Amino acid sequence: MGIQPRTKISKASWLTYWRRDESSQTDYVFIFNDANATSSGTVTFETSKTPFCLNAWTGTEEPIVEYSVSTSNQIIIPFTFTPAPLNLGYTSSPRGGISIKIPATSTSGKVTLSNPKKIMILPQKIESPITLGNWKLIAESWQPGVGFYDSATIGTKRNKTLNLPALMSWSEVPGLQNISGIGY
């Protein structure tokens, strides 16, 4: 039949999900590794567009600088996933240099470059997490008017101010379980 997937994984067992945003004509491919071991491989994309790496936390996009193009205009990108959340990103500069970006980690590690030079990553001091508390929530809801069955009756808007010891789901806030609305 000749049917081929839009992403092909080689030498690994990763999962992919392809999404297209029609308004911006942008294709997104999410790659997930659920293994508990380091794995390396390549992903072949059925596109000839310039690849970018999207940071899901910050929304920033950086060009992927290490990839090849096949004779059938497919993009082939090598990937290595580690079980620890050490995610590397890199950017290219107009002067031809490459900056490697890594998150703070309390353990040491290493990065192998394509030349195959190895760069040691020293542990950094990681600040303790901050517990956020004492939230002030103003819940705005609409209640039926006086004449519940009269369509000419306009509902009434009510605001309820609540002081919460911790951030929680709307359905867990005392007094809001059966009320819909917005909070700010």
Side-chain angles (χ1 to χ4, degrees):
M1 292 178 60
I3 298 173
Q4 297 291 322
R6 289 189 275 181
T7 55
K8 294 179 194 172
I9 307 295
S10 299
K11 302 179 186 173
S13 58
W14 306 323
L15 306 171
T16 62
Y17 176 74
W18 188 296
R19 180 181 170 270
R20 178 163 180 82
D21 181 358
E22 293 295 338
S23 63
S24 66
Q25 297 293 303
T26 303
D27 295 313
Y28 296 94
V29 179
F30 300 94
I31 304 168
F32 178 70
N33 176 25
D34 64 352
N36 197 16
T38 299
S39 61
S40 296
T42 61
V43 183
T44 302
F45 301 90
E46 289 292 330
T47 185
S48 59
K49 296 178 181 177
T50 303
F52 283 80
C53 182
L54 173 67
N55 183 323
W57 291 105
T58 65
T60 59
E61 293 180 9
E62 301 288 344
I64 294 177
V65 295
E66 184 184 351
Y67 68 93
S68 59
V69 181
S70 73
T71 56
S72 58
N73 282 335
Q74 298 171 321
I75 300 291
I76 303 167
I77 302 174
F79 282 99
T80 297
F81 286 108
T82 58
L86 177 61
N87 298 313
L88 295 177
Y90 48 88
T91 61
S92 60
S93 71
R95 295 173 294 185
I98 293 178
S99 299
I100 297 175
K101 300 177 182 181
I102 61 168
T105 177
S106 60
T107 59
S108 60
K110 64 182 173 184
V111 176
T112 304
L113 303 178
S114 61
N115 63 1
K117 182 179 176 183
K118 296 183 188 310
I119 297 174
M120 293 303 298
I121 300 169
L122 300 175
Q124 299 101 35
K125 181 180 182 240
I126 299 176
E127 297 297 327
S128 300
I130 298 171
T131 303
L132 300 176
N134 299 323
W135 294 84
K136 179 179 178 181
L137 171 68
I138 300 172
E140 179 182 298
S141 65
W142 285 86
Q143 304 295 320
V146 178
F148 183 74
Y149 296 103
D150 181 6
S151 63
T153 302
I154 298 175
T156 56
K157 180 176 81 168
R158 296 203 178 133
N159 286 348
K160 184 175 187 176
T161 303
L162 301 155
N163 292 308
L164 305 175
L167 189 60
M168 60 186 70
S169 170
W170 186 279
S171 62
E172 296 172 346
V173 176
L176 298 182
Q177 289 88 354
N178 296 319
I179 296 175
S180 64
I182 59 171
Y184 53 94

